[in-house]
Amino acid sequence: MAAIGVLGAGTWGMALARMLCNMGHDVQVWSALPEEIDVLMATGKHPKLAHMELPEDLGYTKSIQEVSGNKDILLFAVPSVFVRSTAKAVCPYVADGQVIVDVAKGIEPGSLFTLTQVIRDELSRRQELSKVKLVALSGPTHAEEVAVDLPTTIVAACEDLDAARRVQSIFMNPKFRVYTNDDIHGVEICGAFKNIIALGTGIARGLGYGDNTAAALITRGVREVARLGELMGCKPDTFNGLAGIGDLIVTCTSKHSRNLTCGMLLGRGKGKEEAIREVGMVVEGIYALDAAMELKKKYQVELPICEAVDAIVNQGMSALAAGEALMERMGRQE
Ligand SMILES: NC(=O)c1ccc[n+]([C@@H]2O[C@H](COP(=O)([O-])OP(=O)(O)OC[C@H]3O[C@@H](n4cnc5c(N)ncnc54)[C@H](O)[C@@H]3O)[C@@H](O)[C@H]2O)c1
């Protein structure tokens, strides 16, 4: 059994903490928001996952030092915008030999680092941590379903397959099947970009378009992400796997998808801030747009769906006009 520190008490962190604790692991949860820990301890419930029963032996702490001490695994489950600050805060307490698992999905604007690269960048302040393994855990996984043990699959990705296998063996259970992949960069690119494609699919839904359009955006979307990823040196197969097309399908179709919901609101004419407020939880696709546009420039690659979403979200173009322009630009060769 493993000792696991969970950083972040949002829906995904808590769904995984519950699952790991029920498997018999020794799990402790930390949040940057002390009041969040108070609510969890007092009620045994997560306010946004009311149907989830939290086990009594799940531990909590408000101390980042405590959550990271004597742990085999540190699980980063904060939204992408807080990954760097959380890595900076935990860095003094990380021990050599620990494995850090990141489940957040995004790319840092400016540095264009994936989130495990952001964590590595912060850890590099302490040379002795150069051997700490970083694993990305990503795939078609909504917290709402893992919270009640519905069958789910996910990918543990690391250049060092032994580290990925270690995470696989710790997280795997009869309802949660973990695959391994050594293409961590490809897995992380998939996780960040699928949220943008889901925003686009939601916008199309909001405009009243149907299943034909959604299928087109999903299928052309995976090609779009793969085109960029291959230029970045990622493996083509990654984009056709669970972290690629698998996550894209669930994010573009599920009622639990915040990016899809946010897109629908945008497609119905709501502004960015209003749509985000209405969703009420992190909408990673919005944050990923700046990095996507920077990557487009850097790699001189066509990303027509991402560009259309950026035009609507960040440049005030009407969803209808952006959609029409997109139909013209989506390429002619499969
Ligand atoms: N929810 C899912 O189903 C799911 C599934 C797979 C991956 N993810 C990814 O996991 C990440 C977290 O998603 P979530 O759904 O748990 O988000 P959420 O909106 O539920 O979580 C917000 C949490 O962020 C933490 N937080 C708030 N302010 C902070 C700060 N200043 N510093 C550090 N932490 C702070 C708090 O614990 C808060 O509960 C995202 O990148 C998301 O894409 C989510």
Side-chain angles (χ1 to χ4, degrees):
M1 286 300 128
I4 301 169
V6 178
L7 299 140
T11 52
W12 194 214
M14 290 312 296
L16 287 172
R18 168 197 167 272
M19 180 191 88
L20 292 162
C21 188
N22 283 343
M23 289 169 71
H25 296 300
D26 179 8
V27 185
Q28 189 177 40
V29 177
W30 165 89
S31 167
L33 313 177
E35 61 278 14
E36 196 166 55
I37 295 295
D38 291 335
V39 170
L40 289 164
M41 287 176 76
T43 64
K45 294 265 180 199
H46 187 285
K48 298 226 163 88
L49 292 173
H51 62 306
M52 176 171 75
E53 296 292 335
L54 290 170
E56 278 179 12
D57 45 351
L58 186 56
Y60 300 96
T61 179
K62 297 178 185 177
S63 155
I64 199 160
Q65 179 170 4
E66 193 187 334
V67 79
S68 44
N70 299 319
K71 299 294 193 299
D72 304 302
I73 302 267
L74 291 183
L75 183 70
F76 268 66
V78 296
S80 63
V81 288
F82 302 127
V83 167
R84 186 173 284 281
S85 56
T86 305
K88 198 186 286 276
V90 84
C91 180
Y93 312 115
V94 173
D96 205 9
Q98 283 180 332
V99 174
I100 296 186
V101 178
D102 173 69
V103 295
K105 295 173 179 173
I107 296 177
E108 186 177 61
S111 71
L112 300 182
F113 287 164
T114 61
L115 299 179
T116 62
Q117 289 176 323
V118 169
I119 299 169
R120 174 68 73 203
D121 193 39
E122 287 298 325
L123 296 190
S124 67
R125 290 163 202 279
R126 289 180 55 206
Q127 248 180 8
E128 69 273 24
L129 298 181
S130 61
K131 289 197 200 71
V132 167
K133 300 291 179 196
L134 283 151
V135 175
L137 192 63
S138 184
T141 54
H142 277 129
E144 291 79 355
E145 299 187 2
V146 173
V148 286
D149 297 320
L150 298 187
T152 297
T153 56
I154 199 162
V155 178
C158 184
E159 296 96 342
D160 177 346
L161 272 178
D162 284 342
R165 286 191 198 110
R166 186 153 168 234
V167 170
Q168 178 184 47
S169 68
I170 289 171
F171 282 72
M172 179 98 103
N173 68 55
K175 295 293 171 60
F176 196 81
R177 189 164 188 80
V178 184
Y179 293 76
T180 56
N181 188 335
D182 62 4
D183 180 18
I184 184 169
H185 208 61
V187 164
E188 291 193 275
I189 292 294
C190 288
F193 272 80
K194 57 102 192 188
N195 288 325
I196 302 178
I197 307 296
L199 278 174
T201 311
I203 291 169
R205 290 279 181 206
L207 283 168
Y209 299 168
D211 299 338
N212 296 353
T213 316
L217 288 167
I218 293 170
T219 318
R220 295 306 304 167
V222 80
R223 279 305 310 140
E224 181 165 322
V225 183
R227 194 157 57 233
L228 170 68
E230 285 169 33
L231 285 173
M232 297 172 86
C234 307
K235 293 186 178 169
D237 276 354
T238 301
F239 300 91
N240 299 324
L242 288 169
I245 187 72
D247 204 358
L248 196 56
I249 290 171
V250 83
T251 313
C252 293
T253 59
S254 170
K255 64 179 180 202
H256 302 303
S257 168
R258 303 138 191 205
N259 290 280
L260 182 70
T261 306
C262 183
M264 284 181 192
L265 295 168
L266 293 165
R268 289 185 204 129
K270 301 229 166 158
K272 171 167 83 172
E273 303 305 335
E274 196 182 354
I276 293 173
R277 209 170 28 251
E278 213 162 297
V279 173
M281 286 178 281
V282 66
V283 183
E284 291 284 19
I286 301 272
Y287 300 117
L289 276 169
D290 286 349
M293 293 303 101
E294 289 178 54
L295 285 168
K296 172 194 148 51
K297 269 199 210 118
K298 180 170 174 186
Y299 288 93
Q300 296 285 304
V301 61
E302 294 280 307
L303 301 175
I305 302 174
C306 295
E307 288 170 58
V309 174
D310 185 62
I312 297 162
V313 171
N314 291 326
Q315 295 162 44
M317 189 187 267
S318 82
L320 194 59
E324 281 170 0
L326 178 60
M327 275 299 264
E328 291 281 314
R329 289 203 49 214
M330 274 220 288
R332 289 164 183 255
Q333 210 181 342
E334 267 246 89

